[in-house]
Amino acid sequence: MILNRAERMLARRYLLPGKGEGFIFLVATISLIAVALGVAALIIVMSVMNGFRAELFDKIVGLNGHAVVQGYEGRLPDWQRIADTARKTPGVTSALPLIEQPLMASSNGRVEGVLVRGLRVQDIRSNPTITSNVLAGDIKAITPGSGKIAIGSRLADTLGAFPGSEVSLISPEGRSTVVGTVPRIVSYTVGAVFEVGVYDYDKAFVIMPMQDAQELLMLGDQVGMVEIQTSNPDRVSEILAPLRPLVEGRGIIVDWRQMNSALFQALEVERVAMFVVLSLIVLVAVFNILSSLIMLVRAKTRDIAILRTMGASRRGMMKVFVTVGVTIGSLGILLGIVLGAIFLFFRQNVVDAIQVVTGQNLWDPSVRFLTDLPSKTDPVEVTAIVLTALILSFLATLYPAYKAAGTDPVQVLRYE
């Protein structure tokens, strides 16, 4: 929208409070702040929701892969052939054998359910989700035959264990006696404590070399599953389609969507719902712009009539009031972006401060899976939020601008 010099001067004049126009200026300021808060709330919530999804995806996939070929009854026959075929499949970046079995762990008189995971030593050391999150001990100490294991930080707290502590793993697959099957109990030394940031994993995971897991579970040279990573997790089903005939009868292929379908679907639904609900804040804010412009038009009716008699066009008056409203909305949007960026930068400090003031644990990791408040800002979503607020601000200016342009100078100035 191109304004001439006179129209720019009028728009600038109407943006600033005149004599007796303090209330109109107050309403316009409230409108600006309301738009800012609406835009900031949208940016903050959408960034946090994106952060949730990204953090959960990275950490869950970092431990479980994009898909697993899982054998029936916890055993995968001919796993070497399946792994080799998977590696040769286009789109597959890695196929790693592993063993995963729920067992019981005991230490210091405490007993907890755990998920034992057996990996090759090179796979343990090359997994950044584990190696980059070691809190105590040395992950390099986890070697076959060493009798050392790595456990999650929450499990370590529950068992009262630390590097050097003894932890007994109890397997129901024990030896048969005349009185029945005796559970197999093997003691290990904690070599490292890690924290990936997902509560359920940190509270249950026990990592050990594959040879030790095979011996503990009496699997021989068999494994329980093959973990697969692909080049595109969103196309994992298509990429692994050629592998299904080979796996049929031996096990099933489960991808990351199936393993965590309820969680990711709930996040997506909540993300859309929050966007719609918070957009109402922006809508309410633009109604404030509408009301402030209507008040401004009524206050400036005499001025508009004089300008019309001096040659101002209807189109020119419309442009002036549209510019005033869009400027208020644009300033609110800019302020909202700044507020959103500041809040996201200090988000964890804000959560900690609220917890201190209220005395409540707002970020219980056992409920919210992650130990910290995540954030990932999507420029495309921010652009969509800005455009939505800008369009709503523009639409809110049309009626007051139309009323201003339709002012009849004869009627207004008849008794002047």
Side-chain angles (χ1 to χ4, degrees), residues 27-40:
V27 174
T29 303
I30 292 172
S31 304
L32 186 150
I33 294 173
V35 171
L37 292 176
V39 170

Side-chain angles (χ1 to χ4, degrees), residues 127-149:
N127 190 322
T129 305
I130 298 174
T131 56
S132 62
N133 293 289
V134 175
L135 299 182
D138 186 2
I139 200 69
K140 293 181 180 179
I142 313 301
T143 56
S146 66
K148 293 186 176 181
I149 58 176

Side-chain angles (χ1 to χ4, degrees), residues 96-408:
L96 310 177
L98 61 89
I99 297 168
E100 190 172 274
Q101 185 69 35
L103 299 178
M104 299 297 291
S106 174
S107 180
N108 298 316
R110 305 173 185 176
V111 179
E112 283 291 325
V114 298
L115 191 63
V116 172
R117 173 166 286 200
L119 296 165
R120 297 179 302 182
V121 172
Q122 61 267 35
D123 296 335
I124 294 175
R125 296 179 181 177
S126 63
N127 190 322
T129 305
I130 298 174
T131 56
S132 62
N133 293 289
V134 175
L135 299 182
D138 186 2
I139 200 69
K140 293 181 180 179
I142 313 301
T143 56
S146 66
K148 293 186 176 181
I149 58 176
I151 65 176
S153 59
R154 305 288 173 177
L155 178 61
D157 293 340
T158 303
L159 295 177
F162 50 86
S165 297
E166 293 292 322
V167 174
S168 298
L169 296 180
I170 306 168
S171 171
E173 298 288 336
R175 56 190 177 87
S176 298
T177 67
V178 293
V179 295
T181 302
V182 177
R184 182 176 174 80
I185 304 176
V186 181
S187 294
Y188 295 91
T189 302
V190 177
V193 176
F194 61 89
E195 182 177 270
V196 299
V198 179
Y199 182 85
D200 287 357
Y201 292 167
D202 292 333
K203 194 174 189 316
F205 262 47
V206 174
I207 306 295
M208 64 168 53
M210 181 173 290
Q211 293 91 326
D212 293 354
Q214 289 172 332
E215 182 180 347
L216 171 65
L217 300 171
M218 296 184 294
L219 292 176
D221 63 348
Q222 292 186 348
V223 301
M225 61 184 71
V226 173
E227 176 191 286
I228 297 174
Q229 298 275 5
T230 64
S231 57
N232 187 348
D234 292 325
R235 294 183 56 249
V236 64
S237 296
E238 301 172 34
I239 293 173
L240 298 182
L243 200 62
R244 297 187 187 280
L246 178 62
V247 176
E248 191 173 355
R250 296 184 175 94
I252 57 173
I253 299 176
V254 184
D255 62 39
W256 64 272
R257 290 191 186 91
Q258 295 167 317
M259 286 187 280
N260 308 280
S261 59
L263 176 60
F264 284 103
Q265 285 178 7
L267 281 175
E268 193 61 30
V269 170
E270 186 175 358
R271 182 168 165 269
V272 173
M274 292 302 291
F275 182 86
V276 173
V277 171
L278 292 174
S279 295
L280 296 177
I281 298 177
V282 180
L283 186 60
V284 171
V286 299
F287 275 118
N288 287 336
I289 294 176
L290 173 65
S291 62
S292 64
L293 284 180
I294 290 174
M295 293 170 64
L296 182 62
V297 169
R298 290 185 64 84
K300 298 294 184 181
T301 300
R302 184 171 177 277
D303 295 357
I304 295 169
I306 294 173
L307 289 169
R308 293 281 288 115
T309 60
M310 294 173 64
S313 65
R314 292 176 181 270
R315 180 183 175 82
M317 297 311 302
M318 279 198 70
K319 288 195 294 183
V320 167
F321 284 93
V322 167
T323 301
V324 171
V326 170
T327 301
I328 294 172
S330 300
L331 291 174
I333 292 169
L334 290 174
L335 180 59
I337 294 173
V338 173
L339 290 175
I342 293 172
F343 184 93
L344 290 173
F345 185 80
F346 295 104
R347 62 188 182 279
Q348 196 58 47
N349 304 78
V350 173
V351 172
D352 295 340
I354 294 174
Q355 289 183 154
V356 171
V357 172
T358 61
Q360 300 294 320
N361 185 3
L362 301 179
W363 199 253
D364 185 355
S366 63
V367 176
R368 293 173 173 81
F369 293 95
L370 302 178
T371 53
D372 294 315
L373 180 64
S375 172
K376 183 180 179 181
T377 303
D378 185 351
V380 175
E381 285 187 347
V382 173
T383 302
I385 292 169
V386 169
L387 289 177
T388 300
L390 202 57
I391 291 171
L392 289 174
S393 299
F394 171 75
L395 294 176
T397 65
L398 294 181
Y399 176 74
Y402 174 77
K403 293 296 290 183
T407 301
D408 186 354

Side-chain angles (χ1 to χ4, degrees), residues 8-80:
R8 286 197 300 272
M9 181 191 69
L10 282 172
R12 187 165 55 249
R13 171 66 183 82
Y14 287 166
L15 279 169
L16 300 174
K19 185 178 180 180
E21 297 171 359
F23 184 72
I24 298 175
F25 180 73
L26 176 62
V27 174
T29 303
I30 292 172
S31 304
L32 186 150
I33 294 173
V35 171
L37 292 176
V39 170
L42 274 171
I43 292 174
I44 292 167
V45 170
M46 299 308 294
S47 296
V48 169
M49 295 300 295
N50 289 336
F52 258 119
R53 189 183 187 281
E55 285 285 315
L56 284 172
F57 181 82
D58 290 344
K59 292 179 178 181
I60 289 172
V61 168
L63 288 175
N64 296 324
H66 295 155
V68 293
V69 180
Q70 191 168 3
Y72 296 128
E73 297 182 355
R75 298 171 184 262
L76 186 63
D78 199 15
W79 66 267
Q80 294 94 338

